[in-house]
Amino acid sequence: MPQVKKIYKMIFLIVIMVILYGVDSCVAQSEAPEPNPPRWAKQTNVITVTERPQGWRIETAASVYQIAVARDGIVIPVYYGPRGQPLQVRKANVNVSSKVGSHIREVPFRGGFIAQTPAIEVIFPDGTRECDLVYSSSEIFETDGFPCLRIDLRDPAYGLVVSSYIRVIPELDILEKWIVLKNMEKEPILIENSQSGSIWLPVEEYDLFHLAGLWGREFMLHRTLLTPGVTTIQTRDFVAHENPPWFAVTPSRQSSETQGPVWFGSLHYSGNWRLDFEKSPSGNVQIIGGINFWDTTWELKPQEEFATPKMVCGFSPEGMSGASTRMHNYIGQHVLRKKFRDALRPVLYNSWYATKFNVNEQQQLELARIAKEIGVELFVIDDGWFKGRNDAHAGLGDWTVDKKKFPNGLQPMIKKINDLGLDFGIWVEPEMVNPDSDLYRAHPDWVLHYPKRTRHERRNQLVLNLARKDVCNYLLESLSKLLRENNISFIKWDRNRPLSDVGWPDAPRPMQYEVRIRFINNLYNLIDELQSRFPEVLFESCSGGGGRTDLGILSRMDQVWTSDNTDPADRVMIQYGYSHTFPAKLMVSWVTNADWHKVSPSLKLRFHVCMSGVLGVGTDLTKWSQEERKLATEMIALYKKIRPLVQEGILHRLHSPFESNRAAVEYVSQDGSEAVIFLYNLWETLPGSTPTARASGAVRLRGLDPDANYFLSNDRSGRASGETLMNMGLPWFVQGNFNSAIVMLKKQTQ
Ligand code: DGJ
């Protein structure tokens, strides 16, 4: 009888426990098999260990990211969104039995029931194509001054360890996610897919914003409703004119430029990448991104590791504008090379549109002399200076000076340019080769190719196989020689075609499938090594315009040639899209005489458009009249005054050129004491356009001190309070098509 009593007592206790904890508890209860209890090395107030649910809570200034360990040992996403929301973790999510297994996973893998796009897909040596990744250990530590959480997952049946990292930049509401796979088997594991990270948004109707375009029309903003199923943005040939890796997801009809929640992100990767947005039938949205493993696998040898590039995820409660500011700050403070992070970018002159391939010393010196006269600081010779390069048919690959054009080499010309007081920069396209070059004649096997297939040319060039170490060594040594023998302070690194024929017949079979990933790793190493040899040289990324603009390249290249389209009307639109994720400090914009729409834009408009980024001049200066030179001199002097605001201030998009025939952007100093506003009138014929014959309306400014008075100068003078300028706005005083104005604001001090 005492035995029966004992049983009754136990049942009673269990009932009480269920009443107390069972209904709204989200914790794996005591009957759950213990998934190796977490041992936390160190806690910070940003990343905390939680008991209910058992897991981690990451708090940034405006967001919360919460993860839990479910009863079956699977690490599951719980919540990602604004702070202050009640956490509704469904018990079913954590209390799953190992027989069924968690379907929703923080690191989604191919194995068991799958309800998400997988991040990890591997084949084990015995042919098993599924894995099972359960919690094994974790650590909270600091890297580069910021807290980082590492969660190790292990496959119970095989020697595979998957470590998922989340590094937190709390004040920018940014998480960096990446994954490292380690093979503890005795034979290789084949990685078919390894994404960098995944996030899981609450049930909602969402719009996806992304950038897409073409050559000459880069960075166009697109918006699409996420419907059940998967929406993918990606590249498969390295070129990202169509698609720089960036996204912003907002609840439909709730968020705007200045209000509402926005989840945004990007990838630190310049190779093939993909971002998938999977909306489940129940309405949750998973966002997952990383390397695009299309036509790619990676053989992970015993004891070796494979690390994915970083995926960046952020949250803004202040609409798209807040998302842009966070990305701009992130790029400015955490991505760009430390050496040049805080340096203002120089006003440059580039000779491409003036002289094309037909370059010589006398003509470049004449351009440099006028460039100096109007206030330029850096003179760049573009394509055409190297051996055999008379047009786009020959020369790529032979990075020695063309002695027919420069009989004494480049250095005497550089010296004269330096003596004028200008720095000197040069164009290269190292990843490419023309079949008509000494390099190709000597090493036809150095290009990507399949032996029995056509070597497809684009712009008469083939792609060097940078997966090969000998190719990289050749490039490192020839570029080093160029930089050693000449006083070069700037490199414009171009890439003018997408990949094709991505074969590497000499490599062992598994390496042949790794060629794209190895190419990018080696490209990064090549640039890094060159920069460590020549630390003073500033680098610009170019790919037939803005075709290579991503966080991977931006951690190496200090600025970007935004587009070959320098027509000011188009440029306003390109720059508007660009500003959604990339800061003005990188956005190189040249004044030229391009007139793609045959509307004869004025020189003043051309300058005003370029002055909202990194100002450059790229036209034939010898053809400018004295008046034009005078105007250019004034504009460059004005730019130097507003440059700290443009390059280091906070950007506000005030009026979209896609909404009407006007556009306006504002840059405000970090303390709100100064601002500069650019107003542009474009076509009157656009739908919804405002007649430009008369000035009308106003544009509301942002980011000012409402209680202060501001002095207005340049194209508008006067005085107004911050409150008036932000609530009533600055009158839109610009009249006429293709006209523009710059207004400077300065806070009255007492
Ligand atoms: C493409 C670039 O976008 C141009 O600025 C110029 O550098 C040419 N290549 C040179 O071939």
Side-chain angles (χ1 to χ4, degrees):
M1 249 2 217
Q3 198 61 19
V4 175
K5 256 189 176 172
K6 218 174 168 185
I7 291 170
Y8 275 126
K9 204 174 161 191
M10 269 178 69
I11 293 173
F12 176 71
L13 276 174
I14 289 169
V15 170
I16 292 292
M17 274 175 71
V18 168
I19 290 169
L20 281 177
Y21 296 112
V23 182
D24 51 8
S25 164
C26 24
V27 191
Q29 297 298 329
S30 54
E31 72 269 26
E34 196 51 88
N36 295 338
R39 256 178 289 123
W40 325 107
K42 188 178 163 198
Q43 291 195 38
T44 67
N45 54 5
V46 174
I47 306 174
T48 47
V49 174
T50 59
E51 289 301 326
R52 291 188 184 182
Q54 188 184 61
W56 305 265
R57 182 180 169 87
I58 299 173
E59 291 190 36
T60 68
S63 73
V64 171
Y65 188 87
Q66 183 126 13
I67 321 168
V69 183
R71 205 176 107 176
D72 62 349
I74 302 294
V75 177
I76 59 167
V78 173
Y79 173 77
Y80 184 27
R83 293 172 73 116
Q85 302 283 316
L87 281 191
Q88 291 182 343
V89 189
R90 278 191 292 142
K91 219 177 121 194
N93 283 357
V94 266
N95 263 353
V96 263
S97 87
S98 47
K99 254 192 158 176
V100 179
S102 300
H103 307 177
I104 306 300
R105 300 148 183 171
E106 169 65 9
V107 180
F109 53 85
R110 184 171 69 197
F113 293 110
I114 307 156
Q116 284 168 289
T117 302
I120 306 289
E121 295 174 89
V122 296
I123 304 182
F124 290 103
D126 66 0
T128 299
R129 301 190 310 281
E130 295 201 349
C131 53
D132 186 15
L133 296 174
V134 293
Y135 176 80
S136 132
S137 61
S138 65
E139 193 188 356
I140 298 169
F141 58 101
E142 229 179 68
T143 142
D144 246 344
F146 288 88
C148 188
L149 168 65
R150 194 196 68 243
I151 305 174
D152 300 321
L153 312 169
R154 269 178 192 277
D155 190 307
Y158 294 92
L160 175 68
V161 179
V162 173
S163 301
S164 157
Y165 289 81
I166 307 178
R167 180 169 176 260
V168 191
I169 310 200
E171 67 276 16
L172 298 182
D173 301 302
I174 280 192
L175 311 177
E176 294 176 332
K177 286 188 144 202
W178 71 99
I179 285 173
V180 177
L181 288 86
K182 184 160 187 190
N183 180 2
M184 311 296 280
E185 289 281 320
K186 293 203 167 61
E187 286 176 70
I189 294 174
L190 188 70
I191 302 176
E192 290 193 307
N193 179 25
S194 173
Q195 296 298 287
S196 303
S198 163
I199 54 172
W200 190 251
L201 309 190
V203 174
E204 189 61 79
E205 284 281 288
Y206 288 104
D207 284 341
L208 163 68
F209 289 82
H210 64 107
L211 297 170
L214 289 170
W215 174 83
R217 216 181 61 188
E218 296 89 337
F219 308 111
M220 295 293 113
L221 187 66
H222 291 258
R223 175 183 194 155
T224 182
L225 178 72
L226 289 175
T227 50
V230 185
T231 306
T232 300
I233 52 174
Q234 64 176 336
T235 55
R236 284 185 302 225
D237 59 8
F238 280 15
V239 173
H241 280 105
E242 293 83 3
N243 252 339
W246 169 80
F247 68 87
V249 169
T250 68
S252 311
R253 295 178 292 276
Q254 274 183 40
S255 301
S256 66
E257 175 68 17
T258 51
Q259 280 173 348
V262 178
W263 288 261
F264 60 91
S266 191
L267 296 167
H268 280 251
Y269 201 56
S270 318
N272 285 346
W273 57 269
R274 64 181 294 151
L275 283 160
D276 293 292
F277 304 82
E278 176 159 7
K279 184 174 169 118
S280 71
S282 54
N284 290 93
V285 167
Q286 179 207 6
I287 303 174
I288 176 164
I291 295 176
N292 189 348
F293 273 77
W294 174 75
D295 188 31
T296 294
T297 53
W298 187 272
E299 188 186 61
L300 190 62
K301 303 216 173 58
Q303 299 307 315
E304 282 190 354
E305 291 187 346
F306 179 85
T308 70
K310 284 181 187 167
M311 176 185 184
V312 173
C313 313
F315 177 77
S316 154
E318 299 125 12
M320 193 65 87
S321 169
S324 302
T325 306
R326 284 167 174 80
M327 274 305 283
H328 294 172
N329 288 339
Y330 174 68
I331 293 172
Q333 297 160 19
H334 300 272
V335 177
L336 293 179
R337 287 200 288 162
K338 283 199 177 120
K339 181 165 179 75
F340 294 103
R341 237 172 235 178
D342 301 325
L344 292 174
R345 302 298 186 255
V347 178
L348 66 83
Y349 176 81
N350 181 298
S351 65
W352 172 243
Y353 288 122
T355 54
K356 289 278 173 84
F357 301 98
N358 186 18
V359 291
N360 64 56
E361 180 170 329
Q362 201 196 343
Q363 148 235 60
Q364 296 294 305
L365 281 173
E366 179 57 9
L367 290 168
R369 197 187 52 71
I370 307 170
K372 174 66 191 172
E373 200 180 284
I374 61 175
V376 164
E377 296 157 327
L378 164 69
F379 180 89
V380 184
I381 186 170
D382 209 278
D383 203 344
W385 59 268
F386 48 97
K387 192 165 171 240
R389 188 68 167 172
N390 296 320
D391 54 32
H393 286 86
L396 288 177
D398 300 339
W399 299 110
T400 53
V401 66
D402 190 322
K403 284 287 169 80
K404 288 194 190 125
K405 295 176 182 171
F406 299 95
N408 305 316
L410 289 173
Q411 188 45 36
M413 175 181 78
I414 297 174
K415 168 130 194 352
K416 288 178 199 145
I417 289 175
N418 291 158
D419 289 347
L420 287 171
L422 291 168
D423 283 333
F424 178 82
I426 201 161
W427 177 96
V428 289
E429 191 177 1
E431 295 144 86
M432 300 293 158
V433 65
N434 288 119
D436 186 0
S437 65
D438 292 347
L439 182 69
Y440 188 74
R441 280 183 281 275
H443 300 285
D445 52 331
W446 276 13
V447 296
L448 291 170
H449 71 285
Y450 288 106
K452 296 183 189 167
R453 300 269 177 224
T454 306
R455 298 179 180 203
H456 293 98
E457 293 178 23
R458 179 74 68 86
R459 213 189 186 213
N460 318 298
Q461 60 199 55
L462 296 167
V463 184
L464 285 172
N465 180 1
L466 264 70
R468 295 177 62 124
K469 283 274 155 43
D470 46 7
V471 171
C472 294
N473 289 341
Y474 165 79
L475 290 174
L476 179 64
E477 291 319 319
S478 35
L479 294 173
S480 295
K481 187 164 185 292
L482 177 69
L483 289 170
R484 223 177 6 251
E485 291 177 356
N486 300 286
N487 190 26
I488 292 170
S489 15
F490 174 91
I491 289 271
K492 175 178 172 187
W493 187 297
D494 204 349
R495 186 260 320 256
N496 279 299
R497 59 156 288 173
L499 293 192
S500 66
D501 329 307
V502 191
W504 183 8
D506 304 342
R509 186 61 69 84
M511 269 168 83
Q512 295 190 18
Y513 305 129
E514 300 167 359
V515 59
R516 293 180 179 86
I517 297 177
R518 288 181 181 274
F519 186 117
I520 292 298
N521 291 347
N522 288 350
L523 171 70
Y524 287 165
N525 292 339
L526 168 64
I527 300 170
D528 293 348
E529 177 54 30
L530 204 57
Q531 291 180 336
S532 81
R533 289 184 186 183
F534 303 94
E536 305 302 326
V537 178
L538 194 75
F539 278 68
E540 179 173 287
S541 171
C542 173
S543 176
R548 181 153 58 191
T549 316
D550 61 80
L551 303 183
I553 210 71
L554 292 181
S555 59
R556 296 167 172 88
M557 302 274 166
D558 312 297
Q559 56 188 45
V560 177
W561 174 228
T562 318
S563 176
D564 279 348
N565 184 349
T566 54
D567 182 290
D570 290 344
R571 197 63 180 221
V572 167
M573 298 186 173
I574 293 169
Q575 296 183 172
Y576 179 83
Y578 183 97
S579 74
H580 281 77
T581 181
F582 303 114
K585 189 168 197 169
L586 309 176
M587 187 176 75
V588 181
S589 199
W590 310 337
V591 174
T592 70
N593 57 355
D595 187 8
W596 290 25
H597 301 279
K598 307 281 173 256
V599 289
S600 309
S602 68
L603 188 58
K604 186 185 85 172
L605 174 70
R606 294 173 191 279
F607 265 101
H608 282 183
V609 171
C610 298
M611 286 159 75
S612 67
V614 176
L615 176 62
V617 180
T619 197
D620 187 348
L621 296 175
T622 61
K623 300 216 167 88
W624 269 359
S625 63
Q626 280 309 323
E627 291 77 62
E628 286 171 320
R629 286 192 202 179
K630 184 167 169 286
L631 180 71
T633 311
E634 286 163 13
M635 289 290 154
I636 293 174
L638 174 63
Y639 178 71
K640 287 178 183 167
K641 271 198 214 157
I642 60 172
R643 173 164 53 180
L645 276 175
V646 172
Q647 295 192 11
E648 282 164 359
I650 300 166
L651 165 83
H652 295 280
R653 287 178 294 269
L654 303 180
H655 194 97
S656 162
F658 294 96
E659 276 166 24
S660 78
N661 54 334
R662 290 174 166 179
V665 284
E666 175 192 11
Y667 299 87
V668 187
S669 62
Q670 301 290 337
D671 64 359
S673 66
E674 280 183 90
V676 57
I677 297 103
F678 295 83
L679 302 172
Y680 306 113
N681 278 3
L682 303 170
W683 292 271
E684 213 174 294
T685 48
L686 282 179
S689 58
T690 311
T692 56
R694 286 171 58 89
S696 66
V699 58
R700 289 196 186 90
L701 307 189
R702 300 212 297 271
L704 305 178
D705 177 352
D707 301 325
N709 279 320
Y710 287 85
F711 290 112
L712 281 65
S713 63
N714 204 52
D715 289 327
R716 182 88 174 178
S717 50
R719 201 174 63 161
S721 73
E723 192 176 27
T724 305
L725 291 166
M726 291 196 290
N727 293 333
M728 293 178 64
L730 173 74
W732 194 288
F733 60 90
V734 184
Q735 267 180 256
N737 277 359
F738 298 99
N739 196 4
S740 57
I742 292 179
V743 180
M744 288 153 70
L745 298 186
K746 197 162 174 62
K747 192 169 165 178
Q748 188 175 356
T749 39
Q750 26 69 29

